[in-house]
Amino acid sequence: ENNFIFVGDAFSIPKSDNSHSEDAYFITEKAIGVSDGVGGWNKYGIDSSLFSNSLMKECQRASLRISLNNNRD
């Protein structure tokens, strides 16, 4: 059996004081994920933070579902 310990932390830094970070991440016991928002989308009226945050939220949910299903076996 391979055992390992991951100790980590993360934070998002906005590009300016008047904005929010376009990047997103999640950390669980079994998985980590990072999504780099595409700031250039702003000039087309698209908030890339919504995409990156939604993507990481769904990835976190999926990883938790997979982990729960694996623990049932």
Side-chain angles (χ1 to χ4, degrees):
E1 183 175 322
N2 294 328
N3 292 318
F4 67 93
I5 296 173
F6 172 77
V7 178
D9 198 2
F11 57 92
S12 298
I13 301 173
K15 291 183 178 170
S16 72
D17 292 337
N18 298 331
S19 68
H20 51 277
S21 178
E22 296 158 344
D23 306 331
Y25 64 89
F26 76 92
I27 301 174
T28 68
E29 215 174 273
K30 302 279 184 178
I32 59 173
V34 177
S35 178
D36 184 17
V38 181
W41 289 357
N42 289 336
K43 64 184 173 186
Y44 301 106
I46 299 170
D47 183 351
S48 65
S49 68
L50 294 175
F51 179 81
S52 59
N53 282 300
S54 296
L55 177 64
M56 289 297 94
K57 187 180 292 184
E58 293 305 317
C59 288
Q60 181 178 13
R61 287 180 183 164
S63 71
L64 291 171
R65 277 193 304 271
I66 291 168
S67 181
L68 287 174
N69 287 338
N70 287 341
N71 286 340
R72 290 181 187 157
D73 295 335

